[in-house]
Amino acid sequence: MNELKKYFAVIGNPIHHSLSPQIHAAFAKESEIDMSYEAVLSPLDQFQDTVKKLITQKFTGVNVTLPFKKEAYALASTHSNQAKIAEAVNTLEFKDNQIIGHNTDGIGLVRDLEQNLHVKLANQKILLIGAGGAAEGVIYSMLEKEPSELTLTNRTIEKSNAIQNKMHAYAKNFNVNLNVIEIQKLPHHYFDVIINATSTSLIDADLGIDNKVFHAKCLAYDMMYGKETSFIKEAKSQGSKTSDGLGMLVEQAAEAFFIWHQVKPQTKPVINLLRKV
Ligand code: ATR
């Protein structure tokens, strides 16, 4: 092992699809940092052992993707605020014999919306569909931007209610009206930004959302990337602006890169490069 070189990885299952090695390699090249970043497939029941092995091999940090974000939270000895609130971790830092857990997903989403897509969230009415880890991971970052309203909806509405209860105090702090509405009862032509944080796009299942929820002045954002989902197709059919989650992926990676290297990489060239591929 080269003593000066730093070692990183992304751990998931499956992991072969991950673009993170390419993204971090591009950041490292631009920043002239000597590092390696590999994709590591962890057996489903061996996440802890996989991380500990990398620590003994002197890795500096890892990203964590599905399905291990909750386990990474449990494994971390200290947590950033974002990770504590989301109870999920996508970035681990191994420092001073500690395992520090961060969650950069929310920052990634907000930066993609505001800086890349030029959609400011302040005073906007936002709809977030989904109540799993992906949804929960981004709520605090959205509240921080002080939209006028954040409405949660999900197939299993009890899960949205639970998140609303958990996030109520933060919403009050930021003066955001945090609601829950059943998916079949969503108002038409009302929301400015509609975000799909469900995993339906993975299996191409129908969300059961009335397409009149979309309209020409809203942005429909799917956290998935790599294919045009039925959510995006429906939004387009109503004349909405749309985006997939590729920008979010690159922005969350940039924040992880910053945590590890204290360097903010350029994200636009990497997003453009991946779009071409
Ligand atoms: P993730 O970490 O990707 O968020 P998750 O925690 O399993 O994964 O959450 C998946 C989300 O997608 C949930 O909001 C789930 O809805 P339920 O809470 O009702 O399960 C949603 N989802 C998955 N398949 C769905 C489907 N066929 N129709 C509607 N929502 C679906």
Side-chain angles (χ1 to χ4, degrees):
M1 236 180 187
N2 173 346
E3 283 302 312
L4 293 174
K5 188 169 183 164
K6 289 188 171 172
Y7 293 82
F8 300 89
V10 56
I11 306 176
N13 187 333
I15 200 62
H16 63 273
H17 65 284
S18 176
L19 295 175
S20 294
Q22 242 178 299
I23 297 170
H24 281 271
F27 290 163
K29 192 171 171 204
E30 177 218 316
S31 317
E32 299 182 352
I33 289 174
D34 188 14
M35 57 167 268
S36 80
Y37 187 110
E38 62 191 273
V40 172
L41 176 74
S42 169
L44 289 173
D45 58 349
Q46 286 170 35
F47 174 72
Q48 277 213 20
D49 290 347
T50 305
V51 172
K52 290 192 170 151
K53 208 156 122 196
L54 295 177
I55 294 174
T56 58
Q57 290 171 10
K58 303 272 183 269
F59 275 61
T60 301
V62 294
N63 283 131
V64 179
T65 187
L66 295 177
F68 299 123
K69 291 184 184 183
K70 291 274 175 200
E71 276 185 74
Y73 173 80
L75 181 65
S77 43
T78 11
H79 302 90
S80 70
N81 237 353
Q82 302 273 357
K84 214 179 288 169
I85 294 165
E87 294 176 72
V89 156
N90 77 338
T91 302
L92 289 170
E93 196 187 357
F94 311 133
K95 204 163 103 180
D96 308 328
N97 290 325
Q98 293 224 40
I99 302 178
I100 307 165
H102 301 265
N103 193 318
T104 66
D105 285 332
I107 293 169
L109 172 66
V110 166
R111 286 208 186 128
D112 193 34
L113 288 169
E114 296 212 328
Q115 291 173 19
N116 301 330
L117 300 166
H118 309 290
V119 174
K120 299 284 176 220
L121 301 183
N123 301 316
Q124 298 289 289
K125 297 190 284 287
I126 301 175
L127 172 65
L128 181 67
I129 310 167
E136 214 172 346
V138 299
I139 291 176
Y140 184 77
S141 297
M142 287 200 289
L143 292 176
E144 269 186 322
K145 292 290 164 188
E146 306 195 348
S148 58
E149 191 172 319
L150 178 60
T151 297
L152 310 177
T153 192
N154 190 43
R155 173 177 64 179
T156 314
I157 204 69
E158 294 76 21
K159 284 187 166 152
S160 298
N161 289 328
I163 295 180
Q164 184 192 33
N165 287 336
K166 183 176 150 187
M167 300 305 287
H168 168 77
Y170 300 112
K172 208 167 155 204
N173 230 2
F174 293 117
N175 207 15
V176 181
N177 198 357
L178 183 64
N179 302 313
V180 172
I181 302 180
E182 282 175 41
I183 206 155
Q184 300 82 2
K185 296 186 181 160
L186 292 169
H188 294 171
H189 301 175
Y190 180 76
F191 297 103
D192 303 304
V193 181
I194 301 175
I195 299 168
N196 181 18
T198 70
S199 51
T200 45
S201 310
L202 281 177
I203 49 170
D204 241 343
D206 185 33
L207 267 179
I209 192 171
D210 184 336
N211 62 18
K212 293 202 180 62
V213 172
F214 300 108
H215 57 100
K217 288 197 177 139
C218 78
L219 170 74
Y221 189 100
D222 200 318
M223 286 194 195
M224 291 289 152
Y225 56 86
K227 65 174 178 188
E228 186 163 273
T229 63
S230 50
F231 170 83
I232 293 288
K233 281 183 196 146
E234 281 196 41
K236 277 188 178 168
S237 77
Q238 303 307 305
S240 308
K241 263 197 303 178
T242 62
S243 175
D244 69 1
L246 185 69
M248 172 181 173
L249 177 79
V250 174
E251 295 295 343
Q252 66 75 30
E255 184 62 18
F257 193 87
F258 178 72
I259 288 167
W260 294 328
H261 307 286
Q262 284 77 54
V263 173
K264 281 201 164 142
Q266 294 272 342
T267 50
K268 281 240 170 93
V270 181
I271 296 171
N272 292 340
L273 182 78
L274 293 175
R275 286 243 179 266
K276 274 188 211 145
V277 176

